[in-house]
Amino acid sequence: MDKRPTALVLGGTEFLGIHLVERLTIEGWQVSLFNRGVTNPDLFTSLEHLVGDREDDVSALAGRSWDVIFDLSAFHPDHITQVARHLAGNHGHYVFVSTVSVYKDFLHPGTTENSPLATIDGPIPDDVDGETYGPLKALCEQRVAELHPSHAIVRPTIIAGPHDPSHRFTHWPLRLSEPGPHVVPPVLDSPVQYIDARDLADWLLRVGAEKIHGVYNTAADPLPFGEFLERTAEAVASSLRAVRLSQEEAAQEGVRPWVDLPLWLPPEDTAMRGFFQIDSSRARSTGLRTRPLEETARDTLAWAREQDGKDAPFGLSAEREAEIVATYGAHT
């Protein structure tokens, strides 16, 4: 009889899920995956795949039980309720991956797990978008707490590393590995914060195995953006040749924070002042460990180079950056 611990991963074939499933299998867990079978369906062919949709069809979960459930794919409270029809009471521990976007605001550094959460006035919307994402995740957390007595709620900041489809962190090691000059943000002492998906996956495994209960922010320590760029460039065997636009020049050229300069938030954006200064000391006290930036940068670059030709939704294109450098290259 198989005595290995059992885990159900809701999601599991994209980014964080890939790292988590890999860690679980390395540690000898018996893993089942539940998803739509759309994203990377050829991954983990030796594992059990349960096909369904949290919107309407979760029948594949009926009559089953697992030691731990890792929920990586709920974005609406109805997703929690839908699967709980079969999962509530049929598992030992429920680990829900939420987001720091659940917080009401980021006006001040040092957001803790006890900080106020975002809310929705009126009926719960059906659609998840930029405005409803955080509040709906907060409602997901509430639903998890109501339906699963043994649970952990995990609130990551920006997740980085290999398999990242967003290209937010990925833009910088990829761009800085190429010859400069490189267009950089106007202000370089603004903080940046992230967590490597592999570090998060390692800790999630511990949370499941040890049935750690509670709510946890997860993030590496923040560092100034200029240091982030310098260390990333050095890690990918390059040197930073910065073209640092003034804020007026950036505005004139339509260079947008966050979108064209990924992960950078301008200091005048007071509403987001604390977004990259999240307090993750509670998770660290339970064993969260984070690897050096240099390792994340090198490994992300190696993965990104294998994705040649795929769209990059974040970061200046090489052509647009060349145009700006041609105009402002004297700033180097």
Side-chain angles (χ1 to χ4, degrees):
M1 184 176 180
D2 198 334
K3 296 293 185 181
R4 293 181 297 164
T6 59
L8 171 67
V9 180
L10 300 170
T13 58
E14 187 174 39
F15 197 18
L16 174 62
I18 295 173
H19 295 292
L20 175 60
V21 172
E22 287 177 347
R23 290 294 296 129
L24 288 166
T25 54
I26 288 171
E27 293 299 319
W29 288 59
Q30 183 178 342
V31 181
S32 303
L33 306 179
F34 175 85
N35 51 56
R36 296 175 300 164
V38 174
T39 302
N40 297 320
D42 297 329
L43 283 179
F44 307 122
T45 56
S46 64
L47 302 181
E48 180 182 36
H49 287 252
L50 305 173
V51 178
D53 190 331
R54 299 184 73 153
E55 297 286 346
D56 51 24
D57 181 12
V58 296
S59 57
L61 301 175
R64 301 292 302 275
S65 64
W66 291 270
D67 295 322
V68 180
I69 295 168
F70 296 95
D71 189 346
L72 281 60
S73 63
F75 298 94
H76 193 283
D78 289 349
H79 296 164
I80 303 294
T81 304
Q82 182 80 341
V83 298
R85 293 192 296 113
H86 298 303
L87 298 182
N90 289 340
H91 62 88
H93 198 49
Y94 196 101
V95 182
F96 175 59
V97 177
S98 185
T99 169
V100 296
S101 294
V102 298
Y103 291 114
K104 179 181 178 181
D105 61 56
F106 298 96
L107 295 172
H108 306 286
T111 297
T112 72
E113 292 82 356
N114 296 323
S115 298
L117 302 184
T119 58
I120 292 176
D121 295 327
I124 299 174
D126 293 329
D127 297 329
V128 182
D129 58 29
E131 291 187 4
T132 64
Y133 171 68
L136 286 174
K137 276 285 198 176
L139 289 175
C140 287
E141 294 183 2
Q142 180 180 327
R143 200 68 56 87
V144 167
E146 292 170 351
L147 296 173
H148 303 282
S150 180
H151 67 269
I153 291 169
V154 181
R155 296 171 180 163
T157 185
I158 296 298
I159 305 175
H163 301 295
D164 178 9
S166 78
H167 209 76
R168 290 174 297 197
F169 180 99
T170 308
H171 168 81
W172 292 110
L174 193 60
R175 178 65 191 98
L176 294 175
S177 70
E178 300 170 355
H182 311 100
V183 175
V184 303
V187 180
L188 295 180
D189 57 0
S190 298
V192 62
Q193 190 177 38
Y194 66 93
I195 186 165
D196 190 300
R198 295 164 296 181
D199 296 331
L200 181 54
D202 288 346
W203 183 75
L204 287 173
L205 189 152
R206 170 175 284 197
V207 170
E210 299 180 9
K211 294 182 170 51
I212 295 172
H213 190 275
V215 182
Y216 301 90
N217 294 333
T218 53
D221 291 333
L223 69 162
F225 211 94
E227 180 183 342
F228 168 76
L229 295 178
E230 293 280 1
R231 290 174 58 185
T232 297
E234 184 176 354
V236 298
S238 182
S239 59
L240 179 62
R241 296 177 57 202
V243 173
R244 184 174 171 183
L245 306 183
S246 70
Q247 290 177 291
E248 293 75 15
E249 290 166 344
Q252 180 177 327
E253 295 296 329
V255 177
R256 299 162 293 176
W258 191 261
V259 178
D260 297 315
L261 299 171
L263 303 184
W264 183 71
L265 294 171
E268 65 270 18
D269 186 355
T270 56
M272 297 296 285
R273 178 177 291 146
F275 184 76
F276 282 139
Q277 299 179 77
I278 302 295
D279 182 348
S280 63
S281 57
R282 180 182 291 181
R284 291 179 183 278
S285 72
T286 66
L288 175 67
R289 299 291 180 266
T290 55
R291 70 194 65 204
L293 165 63
E294 289 78 4
E295 183 177 345
T296 302
R298 284 192 296 267
D299 293 348
T300 301
L301 175 62
W303 171 80
R305 283 175 168 167
E306 298 173 355
Q307 314 305 307
D308 185 45
K310 294 191 176 181
D311 291 337
F314 285 86
L316 288 168
S317 68
E319 295 77 14
R320 181 64 183 128
E321 185 167 36
E323 293 174 356
I324 295 171
V325 166
T327 302
Y328 300 98
H331 292 1
T332 302

